[in-house]
Amino acid sequence: MRNVYFDHSATTPVHPKVAEEMCRYLGENSGNPSSFHSPGRIARKTVETAREKVAAILGARPDEIVFTAGGTESVNMAVMGAARARRKKGNHIITSAVEHQASLYTCEALEKEGFTLTVLPVDRYGLVSADQVREAITGQTVLINIIHAQNEVGTIEPVEEIGALAREKGIPFHTDACHSVGRLPVDVNKLGVDLMSFAAHKFNGPLGAGGLYIRKGTRWERLMYGGSQENRRRVGTENVPAILGMGLALELAVADMEKSAAYFTVLRDRLVNGVLSTIPNCILTGHPSIRLPNLASFCFEFVEGESILLSLDGRKIAVSSGSACTSRLLEPSHVLLAMGVPVDVAQSSIRVSLGLGNTEEDVDYFLAELPPIIERLRAMSPLFGCEDEECSEGEDCFACTAKR
Amino acid sequence: MRNVYFDHSATTPVHPKVAEEMCRYLGENSGNPSSFHSPGRIARKTVETAREKVAAILGARPDEIVFTAGGTESVNMAVMGAARARRKKGNHIITSAVEHQASLYTCEALEKEGFTLTVLPVDRYGLVSADQVREAITGQTVLINIIHAQNEVGTIEPVEEIGALAREKGIPFHTDACHSVGRLPVDVNKLGVDLMSFAAHKFNGPLGAGGLYIRKGTRWERLMYGGSQENRRRVGTENVPAILGMGLALELAVADMEKSAAYFTVLRDRLVNGVLSTIPNCILTGHPSIRLPNLASFCFEFVEGESILLSLDGRKIAVSSGSACTSRLLEPSHVLLAMGVPVDVAQSSIRVSLGLGNTEEDVDYFLAELPPIIERLRAMSPLFGCEDEECSEGEDCFACTAKR
Amino acid sequence: MYSEKVMDHFNNPRNVGMIPDADGVGQVGNPTCGDIMKIYLKIKDNVIEDIKFKTFGCGAAVATSSMVTELVKGMSLDEAMNVSNQMVAEALDGLPPQKMHCSNLAADALHAAIENYRRKEAGK
Amino acid sequence: MYSEKVMDHFNNPRNVGMIPDADGVGQVGNPTCGDIMKIYLKIKDNVIEDIKFKTFGCGAAVATSSMVTELVKGMSLDEAMNVSNQMVAEALDGLPPQKMHCSNLAADALHAAIENYRRKEAGK
Ligand SMILES: Cc1ncc(COP(=O)(O)O)c(C=O)c1O
Ligand SMILES: Cc1ncc(COP(=O)(O)O)c(C=O)c1O
């Protein structure tokens, strides 16, 4: 049986070159970057070289890049740090209905501290509009927080437009770029963001390494206290091998970006067309064209996502049902609901995300394995095709009342 | 020239077996522990196995162990989380004058939120007493926060006694055990702690992995928001290889603990005796016997610590001057000052911390190299031995006025 | 996450399907809550002679449905009424905590089906 | 952290020592602040004929002391008064930011020594 990993949006395998570098470093040096002796200086240099690489790729200055332990930490630092630092100026935050949990729940936590939220709705493709942002701005607005590439459906938000607006209004703007950095060209100045979060493990870098861009001059408050690492913006001994790995992974991702985007677009389109043409009652979610090259997300009516996921797993195909870190496990995706997908349909979502190592053969294997699985689960579903021609349950029979 | 790493309190080399395991994992699996498919389940199992190991070693239940990105994060989570969760009950925190910066500055940050601090003084060995803690307790006290093994001088605080007191009074107790876990037998029940912080990179585990013990039933508030990882106590995709590494490193450390403590005690005593018997105007700081087996800290009067560190580094010996993450870089150690060491003497401190791989030969090399360095630096020092027999500077000449 | 037994029942569910002329039908859940379980019963002399299920839901929902049908086939109705969700979960070697309360409703569906049968009988 | 030049001057400091019958002595810092630099001057015809230093302090403190002595040896006093801490740092290819303000005081010690000399001269 093939082994197909189609869940690169959850986390990616570490690029072999990156793993090699990290393991080499692990064996060679063990200094603390804050130490003044040679092993410490080697560690410091390793960290700063990575910082320069990352900064250059994102169009930032090295001192605008803070290394963190991952995407969630970056997002928490960005959103809480920027909002709290402006508490005296105002208490209004604008965000969207399709943010990742890290943003969503951080904003909700700020609500309890006295901030008010405007959660912008999205259209059926998951798009926020800059006009909506403009209308939502009040004299109290201290932060605009909009995801760049949506992690469940792949829609790319109009961050450039929102960035221009934010700069016009002088309001700080954070974007969660966990799924765009390393996959799309991302330049903090082109995007016009003041804060930007990203995570190495989404672009074949290691777990345990994230980044936060903080534009020079942005008022910002830190979340944790301790040593003087990262200019005191993120304290604690730096995870040197992970930072090294992140720098290299981003470099590799960017060097290969155009080629791999084109490659994944072809694979993804083959997959999407294959699914849509063979499986009835199936919809592609997210924007049809303004989307990540490597992600496709579907709803297969009448069957539940996890049961599809488990069945595919039985065929050694790894996909996700919605997002990997859905916190309210049994609730349907807030993203799909925000896009107007009916609750029962939202329960049937599957996200397929391509990445390093995936081939056309993987796609074809998937396309061969999926239809019988959906068929089997539908046959088991009380929502699909009532087999009782004389069904007397009426309204109680979901299969009779469900649209076919 | 030998290459001697004597800064294991700053950070330790990763144990080769740990590095090997981590690198093996990196190459083999890339699942997100929150994913339901096989790679995800392998990742989940890896994390939970490590959690069980760590919990068993520390006398805790697996669900009382939260994995973090390091010591600083654990300490911040513990101190802020426990204090803020009891905000309505009281606003008083008891801590000591010899905490690591992570505790110190976190407590100071809480002061700005309206908490009041009692910072307990220490004796000349750096010891806090349980009686002092008892006297400091008020009806408003919501947290006692005392380090276990002091990171700069190695003194071991009477945490068991304080723990018994804390339980008697029903006040939550956090100890920063970053330097005891993996070096000393640590059992959360024997210590009587409600919260305990530790970091893998202090016991030959990897950077990027820390732990926080939270006793079941302890009221506690989290610091960050996002997915449902770690029971929502610490969100963000788990750093699986680092967690794997931490579990194994702790297991190895504990298996070897008695033997290595005895070994390091012999080496340390040889080093201490060697230094004290060959270098005049030198003091050993910290408690003479209630101390970490692997750490010795000295003050070499009339010379400044960093210049000793750099000179030793020139001989390929890595030590630290005070703590590796001294934030207020040019200020003398708050720990030494709290112990009553005069400011100018505190400037002359050097910490030697032994660990994996160190040998008697390393100690002897150090003992051979150090004296000429101190001599050379003292010859350069305006504080040491005025060469002018007819010196007319009087009070202005520090060398004349300094005690010899 | 799931025990081997859960995965076995998920992958090879027992008694899937419907009984066209069922003596009792029970259903719990609705499409918006994520899990729907529907149980069909054929009763003879107060004994469950045949039982089938249809389920829309996660792995746990399918496995508990399958397990409950296996557990109660051949039981008297009174015995079957004593089968609880907890017993179903135990028969599956346990369920992940987050699934215990939400997807462990198969016994409820069974009880609903028995009650449906009894109501029909009483109405006869 | 430190440039090669800093490390060179730290490891091989120029003009270490004292001048017993110095024409001018200047000192900045005190034991509690962490860095003390003391400069001894021998002056002839308003020119720095000899200069020595003693320093208690970090690598930067030692290196800047050494560098300043090398820079001004042979200079006229007026020229030497124009040598700034910044110039010393630049001559060392820069210093880490946290060291710029605290350990970069060697020129101040030099100026104090020159002023000491001038005061003594004026008092003669
Ligand atoms: C006592 C103590 N607590 C906390 C820390 C912080 O740990 P980390 O650097 O892993 O964040 C350290 C180490 O630097 C320490 O020595
Ligand atoms: C859009 C987005 N933001 C933030 C995160 C959180 O990143 P991490 O899991 O590295 O903390 C993720 C990934 O899970 C994500 O998809």
Side-chain angles (χ1 to χ4, degrees), chain A residues 52-165:
Chain A
E52 281 159 25
K53 260 186 207 173
V54 170
I57 288 171
L58 301 177
R61 304 163 34 132
D63 62 356
E64 293 175 323
I65 300 293
V66 181
F67 290 129
T68 71
T72 299
E73 187 182 12
S74 296
V75 169
N76 272 261
M77 282 167 62
V79 173
M80 290 196 179
R84 287 179 181 159
R86 277 173 200 75
R87 190 80 183 256
K88 282 182 191 144
K89 280 204 64 189
N91 73 338
H92 179 233
I93 298 170
I94 299 171
T95 186
S96 86
V98 294
E99 298 300 311
H100 183 266
Q101 287 86 346
S103 271
L104 186 65
Y105 297 146
T106 301
C107 286
E108 285 181 13
L110 286 173
E111 233 179 346
K112 291 200 191 106
E113 290 181 18
F115 286 89
T116 60
L117 291 189
T118 297
V119 180
L120 296 177
V122 295
D123 70 8
R124 66 197 183 105
Y125 299 128
L127 277 175
V128 183
S129 83
D131 283 344
Q132 286 175 302
V133 176
R134 183 184 294 274
E135 280 160 31
I137 293 174
T138 75
Q140 291 291 305
T141 307
V142 291
L143 179 66
I144 300 169
N145 176 59
I146 306 286
I147 196 168
H148 191 193
Q150 212 294 319
N151 56 299
E152 292 184 34
V153 296
T155 299
I156 297 165
E157 303 297 341
V159 165
E160 278 192 40
E161 261 182 273
I162 297 167
L165 172 62

Side-chain angles (χ1 to χ4, degrees), chain A residues 20-40:
Chain A
E20 195 185 308
E21 265 296 282
M22 288 175 64
C23 293
R24 183 193 57 71
Y25 182 88
L26 266 184
E28 275 177 16
N29 189 49
S30 59
N32 183 320
S34 297
S35 300
F36 282 9
H37 47 58
S38 312

